[in-house]
Amino acid sequence: MTSPSVLARRWWPWALAAVLLFSWFRPRHAPAPAETAREARALAEAPSPFGAAFASRGRGAVVSDSTRQRGVSWVGGDSITAEALAPLLRNHVTWLAQTPFGWQSGADDPSIRTNFGRPNGRWGLWGESDAGIAYTARLARPRGIRTLLKPHLWVRGRSSWPGDIKMSSAADWDAWFASYGTFILHYAALAEAEHFEGLCIGTELQHATEPAHANAWRSLIRQIRRVYHGPLTYAANWSGEYEQITFWDALDYVGIQAYFPLCAEPNPPLDSLLRGWQPHLQKLARWQKKIKKPVVFTEVGYKTTPEAAARPWEWPERLAAVAPADEATQARCYEALFRACWGLPWLKGMFIWKWYPSLEADGPARRHADFTPQHKPAEAVLARWYGQ
């Protein structure tokens, strides 16, 4: 998936201007169509459909698993308070994925630039610095919320994402792995020093994880384990990367960025979304039986748009922020996600993309096309299932 955080930083000035223009010409609290609002509320308040949803697939009712990771992808900001964690507790969230960044000037550049202090310039966010990450985790831990440290790479260039990273020679690959090793070993040391409960050693680096580079990853994993003594995972792209990786046996569990396409039609009904999950889950189940490792969806989420289920990995178009929000479709996508996946014995958790600390109900993200479920019917769906 193209990192939403990366893309948001590129086009947010355009989107902000569009939102302000749209807000000038419409009421601040424009209501959704009555039938759409009623449907969204009904879905959010529905009782847990354990028996019907799972008995139809021959598995019976879901057994609650307190060890399952009930996570959200936390957006680092300029500050954090205990009050910002209160909504997580209400929604039964037990894990945060925190995401610091390294930067590459291009997809074929073997050097990774790092800044472990507060980033410089207008893009600087204290919450992505070592100090901000550690402080957030220290606030979260006494409240029963654990931390998965999940560093990402930000590749400069229009529409670039980590999956584009590809070196042009063996020497450049060696240089890239050396640079990446410095990057990830720093975060391994941070995770060890702060007693983080999990470390993700990479995200969607699909050319770098091709079988030709397996030995480089195994060497790096051995180095990481000498520094950090907690569980390790890797966050593989849904569209084939997880199948090509041959070093899963060296990790503790499989991470998948689960932006599987479910239905090409806008405003799909719940039945269509549930059917859309089946081929993906059947394939995953067969593959997992061979790998014999538990799976965690290290990212999964849906935009607040009518076509949210068609290409979930894409950030909304710039002008989608001024279109009417489709909260009912987002809520149905969440309901389908949990009905189809939450009871699977090999699935040990998920991290919802994404969660803004201290977002107000009438804040700028309330009714635009963003992925967050906050202050939308999808949040109630999330709370109901995470509460099981």
Side-chain angles (χ1 to χ4, degrees), residues 281-298:
L281 293 178
Q282 290 166 9
K283 182 179 179 181
L284 269 172
R286 291 192 298 268
W287 177 82
Q288 190 275 337
K289 188 175 291 186
K290 298 176 184 176
I291 298 297
K292 296 181 173 61
K293 292 281 183 178
V295 175
V296 169
F297 288 167
T298 41

Side-chain angles (χ1 to χ4, degrees), residues 105-171:
S105 63
D108 59 352
D109 184 351
S111 61
I112 297 168
R113 182 172 63 84
T114 58
N115 186 349
F116 305 123
R118 183 186 179 99
N120 296 322
R122 60 177 177 169
W123 307 120
L125 291 172
W126 168 84
E128 294 175 6
S129 69
D130 286 3
I133 291 167
Y135 185 74
T136 300
R138 291 173 196 166
L139 277 183
R141 186 176 293 115
R143 292 161 176 80
I145 301 176
R146 301 177 179 183
T147 294
L148 172 68
L149 187 59
K150 187 170 176 277
H152 284 209
L153 291 183
W154 182 6
V155 184
R156 297 191 185 278
R158 187 174 181 82
S159 301
S160 292
W161 67 298
D164 292 332
I165 294 172
K166 187 175 184 180
M167 300 299 109
S168 57
S169 69

